Amino acid sequence: ANEGGQRVLLAAADTFRAAAVDQLEMWAQRADVDIVVPEEGQKKPFPVVAKAIDKARDEGYDTVIVDTSGRLANNYNLNEELRGIKDTIKEKIPTAPHETLLVVDAALGRNAVDQARIWQDEVGLTGMVVTKLDGTARGGFVISTVRELKLPVKLVGVGEGIDDLRDFDAPAFVDALLGYQEGDAEALQQRLDATRQKAEARRAEKKRQTEEALALAMSAKQQEMEATDEDTPATKSSGGKSKSKKKKKKNKKR
Protein backbone atom coordinates (compact mmCIF):
# COMPACT_ATOMS: atom_id res chain seq x y z
CA ALA A 1 0.00 0.00 0.00
CA ASN A 2 2.66 2.50 1.05
CA GLU A 3 5.17 1.59 -1.65
CA GLY A 4 7.13 4.83 -1.36
CA GLY A 5 8.06 4.17 2.26
CA GLN A 6 6.68 7.53 3.40
CA ARG A 7 4.94 8.15 6.68
CA VAL A 8 1.40 9.03 5.68
CA LEU A 9 -1.32 10.47 7.88
CA LEU A 10 -5.00 10.59 6.92
CA ALA A 11 -7.38 13.29 8.12
CA ALA A 12 -11.03 12.22 8.17
CA ALA A 13 -12.58 15.58 7.28
CA ASP A 14 -15.80 14.16 5.81
CA THR A 15 -18.08 14.93 8.74
CA PHE A 16 -21.14 15.19 6.50
CA ARG A 17 -21.67 11.70 5.07
CA ALA A 18 -22.80 8.96 7.41
CA ALA A 19 -20.18 6.24 8.01
CA ALA A 20 -17.54 8.16 6.04
CA VAL A 21 -15.14 8.17 8.99
CA ASP A 22 -15.62 4.44 9.63
CA GLN A 23 -14.96 3.69 5.99
CA LEU A 24 -11.77 5.74 5.93
CA GLU A 25 -10.58 4.08 9.15
CA MET A 26 -11.00 0.71 7.44
CA TRP A 27 -8.87 1.82 4.48
CA ALA A 28 -6.26 3.30 6.79
CA GLN A 29 -5.95 -0.07 8.49
CA ARG A 30 -5.63 -1.87 5.16
CA ALA A 31 -2.97 0.57 3.97
CA ASP A 32 -1.18 0.46 7.32
CA VAL A 33 -1.24 4.23 7.79
CA ASP A 34 -2.35 6.41 10.70
CA ILE A 35 -5.51 8.48 10.79
CA VAL A 36 -6.94 11.44 12.70
CA VAL A 37 -10.71 11.29 13.21
CA PRO A 38 -13.24 13.80 14.59
CA GLU A 39 -14.01 13.73 18.27
CA GLU A 40 -17.42 12.47 19.29
CA GLY A 41 -20.14 14.93 18.28
CA GLN A 42 -17.75 17.04 16.21
CA LYS A 43 -19.58 18.28 13.12
CA LYS A 44 -17.04 20.66 11.61
CA PRO A 45 -13.99 19.39 9.71
CA PHE A 46 -11.63 22.26 10.55
CA PRO A 47 -10.43 20.96 13.96
CA VAL A 48 -9.67 17.56 12.41
CA VAL A 49 -7.54 19.14 9.70
CA ALA A 50 -5.67 21.37 12.14
CA LYS A 51 -5.03 18.46 14.51
CA ALA A 52 -3.74 16.26 11.68
CA ILE A 53 -1.27 18.90 10.47
CA ASP A 54 -0.01 19.53 14.01
CA LYS A 55 0.43 15.81 14.57
CA ALA A 56 2.25 15.41 11.25
CA ARG A 57 4.72 18.19 12.06
CA ASP A 58 5.30 17.08 15.64
CA GLU A 59 5.77 13.40 14.81
CA GLY A 60 7.62 13.64 11.50
CA TYR A 61 5.07 12.48 8.96
CA ASP A 62 5.90 13.04 5.29
CA THR A 63 2.41 13.44 3.85
CA VAL A 64 -1.04 14.40 5.10
CA ILE A 65 -4.04 13.37 2.99
CA VAL A 66 -7.24 15.23 3.84
CA ASP A 67 -10.42 13.41 2.82
CA THR A 68 -13.32 15.83 2.38
CA SER A 69 -16.99 15.15 1.77
CA GLY A 70 -18.40 14.87 -1.72
CA ARG A 71 -20.39 17.89 -2.82
CA LEU A 72 -22.14 19.43 -5.78
CA ALA A 73 -20.81 22.63 -7.22
CA ASN A 74 -24.08 24.46 -6.46
CA ASN A 75 -24.08 23.61 -2.73
CA TYR A 76 -23.07 26.95 -1.24
CA ASN A 77 -22.64 25.81 2.38
CA LEU A 78 -20.41 22.86 1.54
CA ASN A 79 -18.41 24.98 -0.87
CA GLU A 80 -17.77 27.51 1.86
CA GLU A 81 -16.72 24.64 4.11
CA LEU A 82 -14.19 23.52 1.50
CA ARG A 83 -12.72 27.01 1.32
CA GLY A 84 -12.52 26.99 5.11
CA ILE A 85 -10.59 23.71 5.04
CA LYS A 86 -8.14 25.20 2.59
CA ASP A 87 -7.74 28.31 4.76
CA THR A 88 -7.13 26.12 7.82
CA ILE A 89 -4.36 24.30 5.99
CA LYS A 90 -2.77 27.56 4.83
CA GLU A 91 -2.76 28.92 8.37
CA LYS A 92 -0.63 25.97 9.41
CA ILE A 93 1.52 25.74 6.27
CA PRO A 94 1.38 28.85 4.03
CA THR A 95 2.57 26.96 0.94
CA ALA A 96 -0.03 24.21 1.33
CA PRO A 97 -2.09 22.44 0.14
CA HIS A 98 0.46 21.12 -2.31
CA GLU A 99 -2.15 19.09 -4.17
CA THR A 100 -5.90 19.65 -4.54
CA LEU A 101 -7.41 16.68 -6.33
CA LEU A 102 -10.95 16.29 -7.64
CA VAL A 103 -12.22 12.70 -7.51
CA VAL A 104 -14.74 11.93 -10.26
CA ASP A 105 -16.66 8.85 -11.32
CA ALA A 106 -15.84 7.78 -14.87
CA ALA A 107 -19.56 7.28 -15.47
CA LEU A 108 -20.10 11.06 -15.26
CA GLY A 109 -18.73 11.44 -18.75
CA ARG A 110 -18.85 14.96 -20.13
CA ASN A 111 -20.39 16.24 -16.87
CA ALA A 112 -17.06 15.57 -15.20
CA VAL A 113 -15.46 18.25 -17.38
CA ASP A 114 -18.08 20.78 -16.29
CA GLN A 115 -17.59 19.82 -12.64
CA ALA A 116 -13.83 20.16 -12.96
CA ARG A 117 -14.17 23.59 -14.57
CA ILE A 118 -16.33 24.87 -11.70
CA TRP A 119 -14.11 23.47 -8.97
CA GLN A 120 -11.01 24.78 -10.64
CA ASP A 121 -12.52 28.27 -10.45
CA GLU A 122 -13.83 27.76 -6.91
CA VAL A 123 -10.83 26.33 -5.06
CA GLY A 124 -8.10 25.76 -7.63
CA LEU A 125 -7.29 22.20 -8.65
CA THR A 126 -3.95 20.58 -9.36
CA GLY A 127 -5.31 17.37 -10.82
CA MET A 128 -8.02 14.73 -11.03
CA VAL A 129 -8.57 11.18 -9.84
CA VAL A 130 -10.84 9.15 -12.14
CA THR A 131 -12.49 6.13 -10.53
CA LYS A 132 -14.50 3.11 -11.74
CA LEU A 133 -12.65 2.70 -15.02
CA ASP A 134 -13.14 -1.04 -14.60
CA GLY A 135 -16.86 -0.63 -15.36
CA THR A 136 -18.60 0.10 -18.63
CA ALA A 137 -17.54 3.77 -18.63
CA ARG A 138 -14.70 4.44 -21.05
CA GLY A 139 -13.52 7.72 -19.52
CA GLY A 140 -13.08 9.51 -22.84
CA PHE A 141 -13.85 12.81 -21.10
CA VAL A 142 -10.33 12.66 -19.67
CA ILE A 143 -8.98 13.84 -23.02
CA SER A 144 -11.35 16.83 -23.03
CA THR A 145 -10.44 17.70 -19.45
CA VAL A 146 -6.74 17.76 -20.16
CA ARG A 147 -7.15 19.66 -23.43
CA GLU A 148 -9.68 22.26 -22.29
CA LEU A 149 -8.67 22.83 -18.67
CA LYS A 150 -4.98 21.90 -18.81
CA LEU A 151 -5.79 19.79 -15.75
CA PRO A 152 -3.77 16.56 -15.47
CA VAL A 153 -5.18 13.23 -14.36
CA LYS A 154 -2.97 12.00 -11.53
CA LEU A 155 -4.57 8.68 -10.56
CA VAL A 156 -7.11 6.18 -11.91
CA GLY A 157 -9.16 3.55 -10.15
CA VAL A 158 -9.60 0.22 -11.95
CA GLY A 159 -11.17 -1.82 -9.17
CA GLU A 160 -12.10 -1.91 -5.51
CA GLY A 161 -8.86 -3.33 -4.12
CA ILE A 162 -6.19 -1.30 -2.39
CA ASP A 163 -3.78 -1.85 -5.29
CA ASP A 164 -6.34 -0.79 -7.90
CA LEU A 165 -5.63 2.93 -7.48
CA ARG A 166 -2.82 3.52 -9.95
CA ASP A 167 -0.70 6.29 -11.38
CA PHE A 168 -2.21 7.60 -14.59
CA ASP A 169 -0.29 6.47 -17.67
CA ALA A 170 -1.49 8.48 -20.68
CA PRO A 171 -0.22 6.15 -23.46
CA ALA A 172 -1.58 3.10 -21.65
CA PHE A 173 -4.92 4.84 -21.09
CA VAL A 174 -5.35 5.77 -24.76
CA ASP A 175 -4.41 2.27 -25.84
CA ALA A 176 -6.92 0.79 -23.42
CA LEU A 177 -9.55 3.33 -24.46
CA LEU A 178 -9.30 2.37 -28.12
CA GLY A 179 -9.14 -1.39 -27.65
CA TYR A 180 -11.13 -1.95 -24.51
CA GLN A 181 -14.16 -4.24 -24.64
CA GLU A 182 -17.03 -3.22 -22.38
CA GLY A 183 -17.18 -5.23 -19.20
CA ASP A 184 -13.74 -6.74 -19.72
CA ALA A 185 -11.89 -5.25 -16.74
CA GLU A 186 -9.14 -7.84 -16.99
CA ALA A 187 -8.41 -6.81 -20.58
CA LEU A 188 -8.11 -3.19 -19.50
CA GLN A 189 -5.61 -4.03 -16.80
CA GLN A 190 -3.60 -6.23 -19.16
CA ARG A 191 -3.41 -3.45 -21.74
CA LEU A 192 -2.35 -0.96 -19.11
CA ASP A 193 0.41 -3.27 -17.90
CA ALA A 194 1.59 -4.21 -21.41
CA THR A 195 1.77 -0.61 -22.58
CA ARG A 196 3.61 0.42 -19.45
CA GLN A 197 6.17 -2.34 -20.02
CA LYS A 198 6.67 -1.19 -23.62
CA ALA A 199 7.21 2.38 -22.43
CA GLU A 200 9.78 1.21 -19.89
CA ALA A 201 11.56 -0.82 -22.58
CA ARG A 202 11.69 2.23 -24.87
CA ARG A 203 13.14 4.34 -22.08
CA ALA A 204 15.76 1.68 -21.32
CA GLU A 205 16.75 1.43 -25.01
CA LYS A 206 16.99 5.21 -25.32
CA LYS A 207 19.20 5.31 -22.24
CA ARG A 208 21.42 2.58 -23.69
CA GLN A 209 21.78 4.43 -26.99
CA THR A 210 22.61 7.67 -25.20
CA GLU A 211 25.29 6.00 -23.10
CA GLU A 212 26.73 4.29 -26.19
CA ALA A 213 26.87 7.58 -28.11
CA LEU A 214 28.53 9.27 -25.15
CA ALA A 215 31.13 6.50 -24.91
CA LEU A 216 31.93 6.81 -28.64
CA ALA A 217 32.25 10.58 -28.35
CA MET A 218 34.62 10.25 -25.39
CA SER A 219 36.69 7.66 -27.26
CA ALA A 220 36.98 9.93 -30.31
CA LYS A 221 37.99 12.84 -28.10
CA GLN A 222 40.65 10.71 -26.42
CA GLN A 223 42.08 9.64 -29.78
CA GLU A 224 42.17 13.26 -30.92
CA MET A 225 44.06 14.29 -27.79
CA GLU A 226 46.57 11.46 -28.23
CA ALA A 227 47.16 12.44 -31.85
CA THR A 228 47.78 16.05 -30.80
CA ASP A 229 50.30 14.93 -28.19
CA GLU A 230 52.22 12.93 -30.81
CA ASP A 231 52.43 15.90 -33.20
CA THR A 232 53.67 18.41 -30.64
CA PRO A 233 57.36 17.20 -30.23
CA ALA A 234 57.87 17.01 -34.00
CA THR A 235 56.79 20.60 -34.38
CA LYS A 236 59.25 21.75 -31.73
CA SER A 237 62.09 19.79 -33.34
CA SER A 238 61.39 21.30 -36.73
CA GLY A 239 61.34 24.75 -35.21
CA GLY A 240 64.68 24.12 -33.53
CA LYS A 241 66.37 23.08 -36.78
CA SER A 242 65.06 26.14 -38.52
CA LYS A 243 66.58 28.45 -35.94
CA SER A 244 69.90 26.61 -36.12
CA LYS A 245 70.13 27.05 -39.90
CA LYS A 246 69.44 30.76 -39.61
CA LYS A 247 72.30 31.16 -37.14
CA LYS A 248 74.73 29.35 -39.47
CA LYS A 249 73.83 31.62 -42.38
CA LYS A 250 74.49 34.69 -40.26
CA ASN A 251 77.92 33.37 -39.23
CA LYS A 252 78.95 32.79 -42.85
CA LYS A 253 78.15 36.36 -43.77
CA ARG A 254 80.39 37.62 -41.02
Side-chain angles (χ1 to χ4, degrees), residues 47-74:
V48 181
V49 175
K51 183 179 179 180
I53 294 175
D54 288 340
K55 178 180 175 66
R57 288 196 297 194
D58 293 342
E59 300 180 23
Y61 286 86
D62 299 297
T63 303
V64 178
I65 299 176
V66 179
D67 176 51
T68 65
S69 60
R71 65 203 73 211
L72 296 175
N74 59 2

Side-chain angles (χ1 to χ4, degrees), residues 1 3 101 128-134 152-170 172-173 176 184-197:
E3 296 178 357
L101 303 178
M128 292 177 60
V129 180
V130 182
T131 64
K132 299 182 182 178
L133 278 174
D134 55 319
V153 176
K154 299 293 184 77
L155 300 165
V156 293
V158 293
E160 297 182 357
I162 196 166
D163 295 323
D164 291 328
L165 185 63
R166 304 180 179 182
D167 291 332
F168 179 66
D169 186 322
F173 175 78
D184 191 359
E186 185 177 352
L188 172 61
Q189 293 185 19
Q190 288 176 351
R191 285 179 177 275
L192 287 168
D193 293 339
T195 306
R196 187 177 296 109
Q197 289 172 3

Side-chain angles (χ1 to χ4, degrees), residues 91 93 103 114 240 247:
E91 286 176 6
I93 305 175
V103 181
D114 299 330
K247 287 181 179 179

